[in-house]
Amino acid sequence: MSSTDSHLETLQWPGCAVEGYLVMIDQTMLPGEIKQIECRDVETVWEAIKMLRVRGAPAIGIAAAYGYVIGLQSADPHDDEAYFATASQTRDHLAASRPTAVNLFWALDRMHQLCLSLRGELTPSEITARMLDEARAIHLEDREMCRAIGKFGAELLGDEVQGVLTHCNAGGLATAEYGTALSVFFTAQDQGRSFHVFVDETRPLLQGARLTAWELLQRGIDATLICDSMAAQVMKEGKIQAVVTGADRIAANGDAANKIGTYSVAVLARAHGIPFYIAAPSSTFDLSLQSGDEIPIEERQAEEITHGFGRQTAPHGIQVYNPAFDVTPADLIEAIITEKGIIQPVHRNNIQHVLQVT
Ligand code: MRU
């Protein structure tokens, strides 16, 4: 069962055959409408990622992996040169959809490297079939990683915690199934523990209000929605004992990019003596980057702020700055919860040790 609905998965490839297509929940329609869209060409997958119909770092990576297979479906299987040229074009095009979440590049590179390595060994048609298996493997692995993150995270949280805060959406909608940050809460709930989740609405696109609040309600988890600007007050009132968020890219030193506003929450948590945790799979680490300063931050359209969900809420002509992510410095992060274990304290050597990087 998915964390979103007993029948609907965030991402699906109906049937087993390579002639299939990608089906996803259009997250821009939630919570008002649960609508699925079919992606039968690369452009539709690219647009879905760009427009946040599918969003959340792991889900973007899985969608791109299936998108790569869709690209190969249209490649000429009788012309080796043309086939691999289409593979490269598909990789490059999907990689240009969004810049910050490293899972996108991680999944595309994994797909493309395998594809190239099979040249001469298998026929193009056989390679396309093998690539669908690989996309399915990425999908399945993410499911398993989220479950493991949930177990480690629920244990780390302990029984004493009564109130937690999360920002953006790091739930089933953002992953294959159980989520990263929300997997910690779902697992704690599965263990019979009771606690209260405060959900930042997450301006400007309201992933907290539209998606996290919806997922928590569906699971019967006690939750309260707050505006982002209320977090300090709620912390001061003593209602929060831990903060858990996801991440889009974590550098070698532990600096972590996540949805804009996460850094503010981490600063607030430190000011109130509350532990700030990140929950993320190993596919979210980019050890090629020495620090968070090197993480590319996506800047999105001004209209997301001036015309949030349709209505004009700012005067015409006002200058707008709309970075979609920020970077929380490692020293504000109490621990990073991964599928391989807990990174605590957060520093370069410990990251390499827990991730088993040699
Ligand atoms: O712009 P979005 O909605 O794709 O941003 C998503 C986030 O920032 C999530 O917190 C992050 O990707 C982790 S999802 C498990």
Side-chain angles (χ1 to χ4, degrees):
M1 187 171 93
S2 98
S3 64
T4 54
D5 182 282
S6 48
H7 302 295
L8 291 184
E9 299 273 341
T10 301
L11 294 155
Q12 278 175 284
W13 183 275
C16 313
V18 76
E19 293 80 24
Y21 53 92
L22 176 62
V23 177
M24 61 175 72
I25 295 177
D26 182 349
Q27 299 187 33
T28 63
M29 305 300 283
L30 289 170
E33 199 182 328
I34 305 173
K35 184 185 160 202
Q36 287 184 302
I37 49 172
E38 294 179 0
C39 302
R40 294 172 184 271
D41 54 55
V42 175
E43 208 46 44
T44 308
V45 179
W46 185 93
E47 194 269 353
I49 296 173
K50 179 80 187 166
M51 301 310 292
L52 276 59
R53 299 186 198 289
V54 58
R55 32 70 47 211
I60 293 172
I62 299 162
Y66 284 121
Y68 186 89
V69 177
I70 292 170
L72 293 181
Q73 287 173 336
S74 65
D76 185 348
H78 307 295
D79 179 342
D80 251 35
E81 282 306 314
Y83 180 86
F84 287 101
T86 302
S88 296
Q89 282 157 14
T90 304
R91 190 246 164 240
D92 293 348
H93 188 49
L94 289 171
S97 55
R98 293 189 77 189
T100 302
V102 75
N103 307 60
L104 174 71
F105 309 100
W106 171 85
L108 284 170
D109 287 345
R110 174 167 159 179
M111 294 292 285
H112 196 48
Q113 275 165 25
L114 177 63
C115 180
L116 296 183
S117 75
L118 295 171
R119 188 171 185 168
E121 209 175 293
L122 300 178
T123 66
S125 300
E126 288 169 339
I127 293 175
T128 305
R130 175 67 188 82
M131 298 318 300
L132 176 59
D133 290 344
E134 193 67 9
R136 286 187 182 285
I138 287 172
H139 197 167
L140 183 67
E141 283 168 26
D142 186 71
R143 197 176 294 250
E144 288 163 357
M145 288 193 289
C146 288
R147 291 282 178 165
I149 286 170
K151 288 204 182 94
F152 283 120
E155 200 182 325
L156 180 69
L157 222 49
D159 290 330
E160 306 303 306
V161 168
Q162 292 300 310
V164 291
L165 175 76
T166 192
H167 190 77
C168 194
N169 173 265
L173 289 164
T175 61
E177 186 205 26
Y178 227 46
T180 57
L182 295 199
S183 177
V184 175
F185 308 150
F186 296 153
T187 306
Q189 183 198 40
D190 291 344
Q191 294 169 351
R193 286 151 57 177
S194 62
F195 50 91
H196 195 96
V197 183
F198 288 89
V199 181
D200 273 349
E201 65 175 354
T202 316
R203 281 279 289 151
L205 294 182
L206 304 181
Q207 287 92 333
R210 295 187 302 107
L211 309 176
T212 298
W214 185 73
E215 283 198 46
L216 293 173
L217 276 184
Q218 286 229 333
R219 283 200 166 255
I221 290 188
D222 213 17
T224 298
L225 179 64
I226 59 171
C227 300
D228 302 341
S229 52
M230 297 169 187
Q233 178 62 20
V234 178
M235 287 182 184
K236 197 173 164 201
E237 289 172 8
K239 294 183 171 139
I240 293 169
Q241 288 84 48
V243 178
V244 190
T245 76
D248 285 83
R249 193 186 295 228
I250 304 172
N253 70 343
D255 292 351
N258 192 48
K259 179 52 54 195
I260 191 75
T262 304
Y263 176 28
S264 319
V265 175
V267 170
L268 291 177
R270 173 61 56 86
H272 290 86
I274 297 166
F276 174 89
Y277 301 118
I278 293 253
S282 49
S283 52
T284 299
F285 286 77
D286 183 351
L287 302 184
S288 73
L289 303 186
Q290 295 311 304
S291 82
D293 295 344
E294 297 170 53
I295 299 177
I297 300 294
E298 177 180 14
E299 213 180 307
R300 293 185 64 88
Q301 288 175 330
E303 288 70 27
E304 290 182 353
I305 294 179
T306 59
H307 293 70
F309 290 87
R311 201 170 74 79
Q312 184 171 346
T313 54
H316 182 71
I318 187 70
Q319 293 181 55
V320 171
Y321 177 46
N322 185 16
F325 298 93
D326 57 28
V327 175
T328 299
D331 67 341
L332 291 179
I333 305 170
E334 176 66 25
I336 303 178
I337 306 156
T338 78
E339 83 280 9
K340 296 187 177 178
I342 311 258
I343 299 169
Q344 184 180 30
V346 178
H347 60 64
R348 194 177 301 266
N349 292 346
N350 212 12
I351 290 172
Q352 291 187 347
H353 172 69
V354 173
L355 296 185
Q356 295 145 25
V357 178
T358 46

